Amino acid sequence: KMVDPTLAEMGKNLNEAMKMLEDNQRKVEEENEKKYARKDIPGPLQGSGQDMVSILQLVQNLMHGEEEEETSQAYRLQNVGEQGHMALLGHSLAAYISVLDRERLRKLTTRILSDTTLWLCRLFRYENGSAYYHEDDREGLLKICRLVIHTHYEDYTVEGFNVLYTKQPVIYISSAARTGLGQALCNQLGLPLSCMCRVPCNTMFGSQHQMDVALLDRLIKDDVESGKLPLLLVANAGTPGAGHTDKLGRLKELCEQYNMWLHVEGVNLATLALGYVSSSVLAATKCDSMTLTLGSWLGLPAVPAVTLYRHEDPSLSLAAGLTSSQPVEKLRALPLWLSLQYLGHDGIVERIKHASQLSQRLLENLKNLDFIKTSVEDELSSPVVVFKFFREYSNRDQTSHAAQASTIQHPIISNERHIYDTFNQWLGEQLAQLVPASGVDVVELEDEGTCVRFSPLMTSAVLGTEIQDVDQLVDCLKMKIPVLTSTLQLREEFEQEVRRTVGLLYIEDLSWPGLGVVRYNYHSDGKNDDKQEKELEKINAELLKKLNELESDLTFSLGPEFGGQKNCIYIGMVTEDLDVSELVETIAATGREIEENSRLLENMTEVVRKGIQEAQLQLQKANEERLLEEGVLRQIPVVGSVLNWFSPFQASPKGRTFNLTAGSLESTESTYVSKAQGTGATPPPTPTSSLAKQRLPGQKPFKRSVRSSDAFSETSSVSHCDDLEKMEQRPPTLSPSPEQGPLETEKAEEQKAQATKADTEDTQSDKSPRNCTKVEEQESQR
């Protein structure tokens, strides 16, 4: 087939440009000079100009130059395949087509627009519809609002806001809609915020994320009675948070009753292209307009969103901006026109079907997991899965929990929800980090709190999510649930242990996902607050360093960078075998040790200074006494040496030693007498945890020892070793000697039998081969 040389060259240039921009193989010299390269410094335009390769290289440096090589992967362009290249080619073709003559441009744009609209209406079951293509997904709803205003207010084109003043319009939006949608519409339409009415969701019956139809009916009646005009209702086929669908059938009946316009948007509209569609979503085909975001559903970059609508008066559509007489504006559909033809009907349906299968796969696995609560309205066809970690209460716990809820203990209930929100925030971040191809994120729901959301229709086409990614997500979730459960159980025990331990202060931080927050309290001795705060910071920093050196499975940190408490130690997630009492005791003992050492260093300067002064005085006194004992003649150099040769002077050496522990000068006479240097006073023992001393070989700190019938406990092993030592120290009077008589021999044999029986009974509690061997050796020696 013959191809226009200009089109062929355009496709070739685009292909080469994409290859250059996606190429991450950069040289080492470019990596080292990327921050200081002369070509990256802004400057005047070069007089001779630059070639395309240099310009694209500059674009690549601007795209990736500020990021490191590893992090640049996360900020890369999405996985752009051939279908993505077709969408990008559409923008280049639109610019090229715009230079055609007016008549040829009009025919071409009309064909592109009509084809794309027809394909989309058939694909999403929307008969006899028109289409408006827009870059901002909210722009379609804005144009629909203008269309409805022109329809209900005939003189709006001439009178303007004066017509709206006489009869104020009202737009109804669900409370579960996108944040800021109502305010954005009022700002763009020039309406006061009083024209926007937020409809609450069901709180007593039905889903907590569906619009309350009965309440909406009462709100409309009140507005009509007050002289207002109900204009438009925005419903959801897949709420932005949980993916729930409103009762579109009943809402459509209500809109027909009050002559209102029904607009529907949401991710669940993508399932209209499938063979099986749930009745709740299928009702969207009867609405007056709907907005489709095909770019995220199909993984197409830079394609516009589409708003399908039904209206009979083309002049009003033109006045509202839904249609345009400018052919260039109709070229917005060109990237989508190319992409739809490249994918075909089967390719489009297959992508949407694949995303729905991923959701069903995850939902089936979540049903078999304990402590996981799902928030799914229609489990058979929902493409969005929202779940959270939640510990169910037993029957007894439910009774006590209900009693707490009935009393005036609202802070306890709110604290509990805050803790669950924190834990689910941590869970969502961990899953997104461990399985980035899954595309899970954290969402805040008004009634459910913090949850983890999996919406493959919005992410799978871009990230390339597959079934194995979902299975990996479930495996990671199974690993995190025991950690969350054990940490939640041990939080209260940790708080009680810290509060009853002297020297530790428990800090309540509900936004910390972990065991808890503790601070070692510095014992104040009348110092000012600034100095005490610095010493407290120094002690807790050293305590954190000591705890991290223990090589335990716990994570100790200073907490979050923003919003955390100062001078505190934050303990992360823990497992069920954590010994909380040993942990708290170790923290307190280590803190006391650091405090004592800091006080010793603090007083060392003063003690040493006083010791030096005292030593100088004693040395001066000793020199005076020596002068009196030896005489003046012995101090003369020549005479003294001759006198000492004829008559040596015998004097006992007198020395002094400075004891840092006691902070005093001591005599060295004992050293010369015993010919060995004494150790002086014994320093106080280092305060360490008594439980840590009983740790088994190979056992990590803060871990409870495993007790079973085949393994001996720490207490029994220690007591058994003590019994063996006592057996070694027994006097050998149990064995008869040749000099004893028959009666004495018989008594000795009875005593020996009783002792052997007692030792055997003691040994039966310990099945360790090592200790049994020691008992046999003792018996053989006796």
Side-chain angles (χ1 to χ4, degrees):
K1 298 181 181 180
M2 298 297 295
V3 182
D4 189 350
T6 305
L7 294 180
E9 184 68 18
M10 183 184 302
K12 179 181 178 181
N13 293 339
L14 177 65
N15 191 23
E16 293 178 356
M18 291 302 301
K19 286 182 179 180
M20 292 184 63
L21 292 178
E22 292 178 350
D23 185 15
N24 289 327
Q25 302 295 331
R26 286 168 288 176
K27 299 180 181 180
V28 180
E29 293 79 8
E30 295 177 354
E31 184 70 21
N32 295 333
E33 298 176 0
K34 62 182 180 181
K35 294 184 179 180
Y36 306 101
R38 179 63 182 89
K39 58 185 178 181
D40 292 338
I41 301 177
L45 286 175
Q46 297 184 10
S48 59
Q50 301 184 54
D51 56 0
M52 187 182 66
V53 177
S54 301
I55 297 175
L56 290 177
Q57 185 66 38
L58 176 60
V59 174
Q60 180 184 0
N61 294 337
L62 294 176
M63 292 171 57
H64 306 291
E66 298 296 332
E67 305 294 338
E68 298 293 337
E69 186 175 359
E70 297 180 357
T71 59
S72 63
Q73 298 290 337
Y75 296 97
R76 276 191 59 188
L77 294 174
Q78 66 184 54
N79 186 17
V80 180
E82 292 186 3
Q83 74 280 358
H85 285 187
M86 295 299 296
L88 299 178
L89 180 61
H91 292 274
S92 301
L93 286 176
Y96 173 68
I97 294 174
S98 63
V99 302
L100 298 177
D101 60 273
R102 189 175 183 84
E103 183 63 23
R104 188 171 300 180
L105 177 62
R106 184 187 61 81
K107 292 182 179 180
L108 180 59
T109 54
T110 303
R111 171 65 184 274
I112 293 173
L113 192 63
S114 60
D115 286 354
T116 310
T117 303
L118 179 62
W119 296 338
L120 292 176
C121 289
R122 289 182 177 178
L123 190 63
F124 293 96
R125 306 170 187 257
Y126 198 81
E127 298 178 357
N128 301 324
S130 302
Y132 172 66
Y133 303 89
H134 46 93
E135 302 298 333
D136 188 357
D137 54 359
R138 296 177 300 182
E139 187 179 355
L141 178 57
L142 176 64
K143 300 295 185 182
I144 291 296
C145 291
R146 295 186 185 276
L147 174 62
V148 179
I149 291 176
H150 280 281
T151 304
H152 285 78
Y153 298 92
E154 296 180 357
D155 298 333
Y156 178 74
T157 306
V158 179
E159 299 293 335
F161 71 93
N162 290 327
V163 181
L164 304 179
Y165 180 77
T166 58
K167 201 169 188 179
Q168 181 178 342
V170 183
I171 301 175
Y172 302 90
I173 294 182
S174 172
S175 59
R178 288 180 291 173
T179 304
L181 178 61
Q183 185 176 1
L185 291 177
C186 290
N187 293 338
Q188 294 295 325
L189 295 173
L191 299 176
L193 292 178
S194 58
C195 294
M196 194 63 54
C197 179
R198 291 179 60 88
V199 183
C201 295
N202 291 332
T203 55
M204 298 297 294
F205 306 99
S207 173
Q208 296 179 349
H209 305 278
Q210 288 181 334
M211 193 183 302
D212 194 335
V213 182
L215 181 57
L216 174 63
D217 190 9
R218 291 197 298 268
L219 291 174
I220 296 176
K221 289 181 179 179
D222 294 341
D223 291 335
V224 172
E225 294 176 357
S226 62
K228 297 181 180 179
L229 178 62
L231 199 65
L232 181 139
L233 172 64
V234 182
N236 291 300
T239 55
H244 291 97
T245 303
D246 291 326
K247 300 178 179 66
L248 300 179
R250 296 182 59 188
L251 293 178
K252 179 58 180 175
E253 296 175 358
L254 194 64
C255 289
E256 291 177 351
Q257 178 182 350
Y258 292 99
N259 193 22
M260 294 173 55
W261 186 283
L262 177 61
H263 179 82
V264 182
E265 59 183 21
V267 66
N268 291 357
L269 293 176
T271 59
L272 290 173
L274 301 179
Y276 169 77
V277 186
S278 62
S279 58
S280 58
V281 180
L282 189 60
T285 58
K286 303 300 180 181
C287 66
D288 298 302
S289 60
M290 64 169 65
T291 298
L292 310 175
T293 55
L294 298 171
S296 57
W297 298 348
L298 304 178
L300 301 175
V303 296
V306 185
T307 296
L308 302 178
Y309 65 97
R310 296 189 186 98
H311 200 267
E312 298 177 355
D313 193 347
S315 61
L316 294 181
S317 301
L318 180 63
L322 289 171
T323 58
S324 175
S325 59
Q326 298 296 328
V328 178
E329 295 187 7
K330 298 180 181 180
L331 290 175
R332 292 179 182 175
L334 182 57
L336 192 57
W337 183 75
L338 295 174
S339 300
L340 293 179
Q341 290 187 90
Y342 182 84
L343 291 174
H345 182 275
D346 296 339
I348 296 172
V349 174
E350 183 63 28
R351 291 201 172 201
I352 299 176
K353 183 179 179 181
H354 174 68
S356 300
Q357 291 175 349
L358 294 177
S359 299
Q360 295 301 315
R361 180 65 171 262
L362 178 61
L363 187 60
E364 292 174 359
N365 287 283
L366 293 180
K367 291 180 180 179
N368 301 325
L369 297 181
D370 297 330
F371 308 111
I372 293 297
K373 178 182 177 182
T374 58
S375 177
V376 179
E377 175 192 340
D378 191 354
E379 296 184 354
L380 297 178
S381 59
S382 177
V384 181
V385 179
V386 177
F387 61 93
K388 62 181 295 187
F389 166 75
F390 185 77
R391 183 183 177 189
E392 298 288 348
Y393 294 95
S394 59
N395 294 332
R396 182 180 301 178
D397 294 336
Q398 287 180 355
T399 304
S400 61
H401 194 67
Q404 289 182 357
S406 61
T407 58
I408 316 178
Q409 294 183 350
H410 299 292
I412 296 180
I413 306 300
S414 61
N415 290 350
E416 180 182 346
R417 175 172 176 175
H418 200 160
I419 292 174
Y420 276 110
D421 289 347
T422 302
F423 277 38
N424 283 284
Q425 178 78 24
W426 177 85
L427 177 61
E429 294 174 354
Q430 290 290 312
L431 294 178
Q433 182 179 1
L434 294 174
V435 193
S438 63
V440 295
D441 60 347
V442 180
V443 61
E444 297 285 343
L445 302 180
E446 184 176 357
D447 298 318
E448 299 290 339
T450 304
C451 300
V452 183
R453 178 177 59 186
F454 177 67
S455 182
L457 268 174
M458 302 297 293
T459 59
S460 63
V462 176
L463 299 177
T465 311
E466 299 294 340
I467 294 294
Q468 55 267 23
D469 297 322
V470 177
D471 296 339
Q472 184 182 358
L473 181 66
V474 175
D475 294 338
C476 294
L477 186 59
K478 291 179 180 179
M479 294 170 54
K480 298 300 179 182
I481 289 178
V483 178
L484 292 167
T485 307
S486 58
T487 305
L488 186 63
Q489 292 176 348
L490 296 175
R491 274 180 74 102
E492 184 176 357
E493 180 182 353
F494 176 75
E495 179 180 356
Q496 295 176 357
E497 288 288 341
V498 172
R499 292 189 184 278
R500 71 167 63 105
T501 303
V502 179
L504 296 182
L505 178 64
Y506 180 80
I507 306 297
E508 186 175 8
D509 190 350
L510 301 179
S511 61
W512 172 249
L515 184 64
V517 186
V518 64
R519 174 189 295 163
Y520 183 80
N521 267 344
Y522 182 80
H523 299 292
S524 177
D525 51 357
K527 301 178 181 178
N528 54 34
D529 295 338
D530 295 338
K531 188 174 182 180
Q532 182 179 350
E533 187 72 17
K534 292 181 180 179
E535 292 177 351
L536 179 64
E537 180 180 359
K538 183 178 180 181
I539 291 176
N540 283 277
E542 185 67 21
L543 177 59
L544 176 63
K545 181 180 179 182
K546 293 286 186 182
L547 293 175
N548 286 323
E549 291 175 355
L550 295 178
E551 297 181 356
S552 63
D553 293 336
L554 302 182
T555 56
F556 302 95
S557 64
L558 295 175
E561 183 178 0
F562 302 101
Q565 296 285 339
K566 293 183 178 180
N567 304 329
C568 296
I569 297 175
Y570 286 75
I571 305 175
M573 293 289 176
V574 299
T575 54
E576 60 181 356
D577 57 348
L578 173 68
D579 195 334
V580 178
S581 58
E582 180 186 352
L583 172 62
V584 175
E585 185 179 352
T586 303
I587 295 175
T590 309
R592 288 194 297 268
E593 177 187 355
I594 297 173
E595 182 182 358
E596 291 177 1
N597 293 337
S598 63
R599 288 187 175 183
L600 179 62
L601 293 176
E602 182 181 350
N603 298 330
M604 187 66 68
T605 304
E606 185 67 20
V607 172
V608 171
R609 186 181 64 83
K610 292 181 178 180
I612 292 175
Q613 293 177 356
E614 185 179 354
Q616 290 177 349
L617 294 177
Q618 291 189 11
L619 289 175
Q620 184 179 0
K621 185 178 179 180
N623 290 332
E624 294 175 356
E625 292 178 355
R626 178 185 175 187
L627 180 61
L628 294 176
E629 291 180 1
E630 296 181 357
V632 181
L633 294 177
R634 294 184 183 269
Q635 306 304 320
I636 302 174
V638 180
V639 178
S641 60
V642 175
L643 187 58
N644 288 332
W645 184 74
F646 283 105
S647 176
F649 181 77
Q650 299 294 333
S652 60
K654 295 181 180 180
R656 297 292 185 270
T657 179
F658 184 73
N659 191 341
L660 292 177
T661 305
S664 61
L665 288 173
E666 298 177 357
S667 176
T668 57
E669 184 178 357
S670 59
T671 303
Y672 289 100
V673 172
S674 60
K675 305 299 183 183
Q677 186 175 0
T679 58
T682 303
T686 302
T688 56
S689 174
S690 59
L691 297 176
K693 297 178 181 178
Q694 301 176 3
R695 192 177 300 117
L696 296 176
Q699 181 182 357
K700 289 189 175 182
F702 317 129
K703 295 291 185 180
R704 289 197 297 264
S705 59
V706 181
R707 294 179 175 86
S708 61
S709 58
D710 298 331
F712 59 91
S713 64
E714 296 171 302
T715 307
S716 61
S717 62
V718 173
S719 60
H720 186 68
C721 293
D722 294 339
D723 294 340
L724 292 178
E725 293 178 359
K726 292 180 181 178
M727 283 199 314
E728 295 177 356
Q729 296 175 0
R730 284 179 185 168
T733 56
L734 299 179
S735 59
S737 62
E739 299 177 359
Q740 291 176 336
L743 183 59
E744 295 175 350
T745 303
E746 184 179 358
K747 292 181 179 180
E749 292 292 335
E750 291 177 359
Q751 294 177 0
K752 180 178 180 181
Q754 293 176 359
T756 305
K757 181 179 180 182
D759 294 339
T760 305
E761 293 176 354
D762 294 338
T763 310
Q764 288 178 355
S765 62
D766 187 3
K767 302 299 182 181
S768 175
R770 177 177 57 84
N771 290 332
C772 292
T773 305
K774 292 183 66 176
V775 174
E776 294 175 359
E777 292 176 359
Q778 294 293 336
E779 293 294 338
S780 62
Q781 291 177 4
R782 282 199 294 269

